[in-house]
């Protein structure tokens, strides 16, 4: 294998650039000619392939977003779309691919491999931390810290006005981000898609605690756990208290990555190239990850066939601390 390509796909996350840098630098170190695919799978279909040199990735380790740009690509979901991408891969003599993204990007990588046996290594980068097989994804830590900064500020106004706040965080259909943020912000209630909640019980506890002198509340809600405005209305109706909604939104996806996001991005990037280097033409696609603080790699198939579980113990601990 002499020529490899790297791409970023799906929702961007802080640390994507640090990953690109690590892949490009380590690939050159191991003697590869390395190319960047712009705009994810859309760029692969469109032939947006650019050569990457050591200096192409200078000064980007601290930058949010992705210098290669990213996209969500409907066309790649079709066989015809993938055929166009395969032609581009062949025309450019690309012999190996590093895909930086989340579960949707890896599902697409699996479909590509089904159609054209090319060595592929995935690097899990998403603020959602929902990639099965790795304890952490790149970007998760930064998103937690970004959300915390906002929540700490909202807490000031919640306290002063004696209000209940529902603060919605991202995470698509999963509650990994909400759980960590809930625990770290010391929120009173965390609503997750994975754990059934009873609004009557929540309202009773709000009323009971108000009697005991607790006048403000922070409820952290995962975006996949329901409609925050509808829940706010219900709590208002049931308790009679003012309830405000604050959706943190896309701010969680941007900004300079934390030290932890940069570190795992760098280690994942190097490991991905080392794995790719040892792969044969028909080797099964792999994902790199971190388990118990050790950098690992595993079959993409494992990720596709299994679902990451929420840490119920952590959820219970968050509840104990919120009494
Ligand atoms: O997967 C990352 C993420 O930010 C999710 O948390 C969110 O639900 C989704 O992407 C938003 O997607 P889009 O960028 O397509 O609006």
């Amino acid at each position: 294998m002499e020529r490899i390509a790297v791409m970023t796909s799906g929702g961007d996350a802080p640390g994507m650039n640090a990953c690109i840098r690590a892949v490009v630098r380590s690939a050159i170190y191991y003697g590869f000619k390395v190319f960047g695919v712009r705009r994810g799978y859309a760029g692969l279909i469109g032939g947006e392939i650019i050569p990457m040199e050591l200096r192409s990735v200078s000064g980007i380790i601290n930058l949010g977003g992705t210098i290669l740009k990213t996209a969500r690509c409907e066309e790649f979901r079709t066989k015809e779309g993938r055929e166009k991408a395969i032609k581009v891969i062949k025309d450019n003599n690309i012999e190996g691919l590093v895909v930086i993204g989340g579960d949707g990007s890896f599902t697409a990588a699996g479909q590509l491999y089904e159609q054209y046996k090319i060595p592929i290594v995935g690097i899990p980068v998403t603020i959602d931390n929902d990639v099965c097989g790795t304890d952490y994804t790149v970007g998760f830590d930064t998103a937690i810290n970004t959300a915390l900064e906002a929540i700490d500020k909202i807490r000031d106004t919640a306290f002063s006005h004696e209000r209940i706040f529902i603060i919605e965080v991202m995470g698509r259909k999963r509650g990994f981000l909400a759980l960590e943020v809930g625990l770290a912000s010391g929120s009173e209630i965390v609503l997750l898609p994975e754990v059934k909640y009873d609004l009557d019980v929540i309202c009773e506890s709000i009323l009971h605690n108000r009697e005991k002198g607790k006048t403000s509340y922070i409820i952290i809600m995962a975006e996949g756990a329901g409609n925050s405005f509808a829940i706010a209305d219900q709590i208002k109706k049931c308790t009679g208290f003012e309830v405000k909604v604050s959706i943190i939104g896309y701010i969680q996806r941007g900004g300079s990555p934390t030290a932890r996001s940069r570190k795992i991005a760098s280690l994942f990037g190097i490991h991905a190239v080392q794995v790719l280097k040892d792969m044969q033409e028909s080797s099964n696609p792999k994902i790199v990850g971190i388990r118990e603080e050790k950098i690992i790699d595993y079959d993409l198939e494992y990720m596709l066939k299994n679902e990451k579980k929420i840490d119920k113990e952590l959820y219970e601990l968050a509840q104990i601390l919120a009494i």
Side-chain angles (χ1 to χ4, degrees):
M1 199 187 301
E2 284 172 14
R3 293 161 68 91
I4 67 166
V6 56
M7 62 193 265
T8 49
S9 161
D12 64 343
M16 265 189 168
N17 279 325
C19 262
I20 298 170
R21 172 182 178 269
V23 170
V24 170
R25 295 253 166 110
S26 53
I28 292 172
Y29 174 84
Y30 286 113
F32 290 111
K33 184 109 194 64
V34 53
F35 297 85
V37 181
R38 283 167 54 84
R39 299 175 51 246
Y41 290 107
L44 197 58
I45 289 173
E48 295 184 52
I49 312 281
I50 52 168
M52 303 290 282
E53 311 294 344
L54 286 175
R55 298 280 78 81
S56 323
V57 291
S58 295
I60 66 166
I61 195 167
N62 55 325
L63 301 182
T66 157
I67 57 161
L68 288 174
K69 307 224 168 148
T70 185
R72 302 200 191 274
C73 179
E74 280 304 315
E75 195 181 356
F76 200 80
R77 291 178 201 270
T78 66
K79 199 158 180 271
E80 296 69 35
R82 293 194 290 274
E83 256 157 33
K84 287 186 201 166
I86 291 165
K87 183 170 178 332
V88 171
I89 292 172
K90 286 181 181 165
D91 289 349
N92 286 276
N93 297 315
I94 302 296
E95 298 156 288
L97 203 56
V98 177
V99 177
I100 300 171
D103 60 347
S105 308
F106 299 154
T107 302
Q111 289 168 336
L112 173 65
Y113 178 78
E114 283 295 305
Q115 221 164 304
Y116 180 61
K117 301 275 179 280
I118 178 172
I120 303 175
V121 181
I123 304 182
V125 180
T126 162
I127 64 162
D128 301 341
N129 200 29
D130 57 351
V131 176
C132 188
T134 181
D135 291 345
Y136 296 105
T137 55
V138 175
F140 182 54
D141 184 67
T142 311
I144 294 168
N145 283 293
T146 302
L148 281 183
E149 210 185 313
I151 292 159
D152 287 348
K153 287 176 180 156
I154 293 171
R155 193 180 271 289
D156 291 343
T157 180
F159 171 83
S160 307
H161 283 263
E162 304 189 310
R163 281 172 174 163
I164 297 169
F165 265 88
I166 296 183
I167 306 177
E168 186 182 300
V169 299
M170 278 189 164
R172 204 180 284 277
K173 293 183 181 144
R174 305 305 310 273
F176 300 103
L177 185 60
L179 178 54
E180 294 280 336
V181 164
L183 186 74
S185 65
S187 75
E188 280 70 28
I189 295 166
V190 188
L191 301 180
L192 307 176
E194 294 87 351
V195 183
K196 263 190 117 185
Y197 52 87
D198 184 337
L199 277 184
D200 290 335
V201 173
I202 289 173
C203 290
E204 266 170 39
S205 114
I206 292 174
L207 287 167
H208 175 73
N209 285 329
R210 179 70 68 132
E211 268 172 31
K212 288 195 310 185
K214 182 162 187 49
T215 53
S216 66
Y217 253 86
I218 298 291
I219 301 174
I220 300 297
M221 178 167 170
E223 63 176 336
N227 181 317
S228 40
F229 290 97
I231 290 176
D233 280 348
Q234 272 174 276
I235 296 177
K236 196 174 171 185
K237 223 182 267 166
C238 174
T239 62
F241 301 139
E242 202 172 7
V243 186
K244 297 282 180 186
V245 174
S246 193
I247 297 175
I248 302 184
Y250 287 92
I251 191 175
Q252 293 159 104
R253 286 231 302 242
S256 185
T258 57
R260 179 153 176 88
S261 288
R262 294 182 202 195
K263 182 181 174 188
I264 67 166
S266 303
L267 298 182
F268 280 8
I270 297 174
H271 193 65
V273 172
Q274 288 168 339
V275 170
L276 195 62
K277 177 169 77 68
D278 295 334
M279 281 168 100
Q280 308 303 317
E281 215 172 288
S282 59
S283 298
N284 289 329
K286 295 273 185 189
I287 305 276
V288 299
I290 186 164
R291 259 182 239 156
E292 291 169 3
E293 295 308 305
K294 286 219 158 49
I295 302 296
I296 47 130
D297 53 86
Y298 53 100
D299 286 339
L300 169 78
E301 206 182 345
Y302 174 82
M303 186 230 101
L304 295 177
K305 291 196 170 150
N306 292 279
E307 197 182 71
K308 192 166 179 174
K309 301 261 182 313
I310 204 91
D311 186 344
K312 292 267 169 70
E313 245 175 72
L314 201 62
Y315 176 76
E316 276 154 27
L317 288 180
Q319 282 197 309
I320 291 173
L321 296 178
I323 53 171

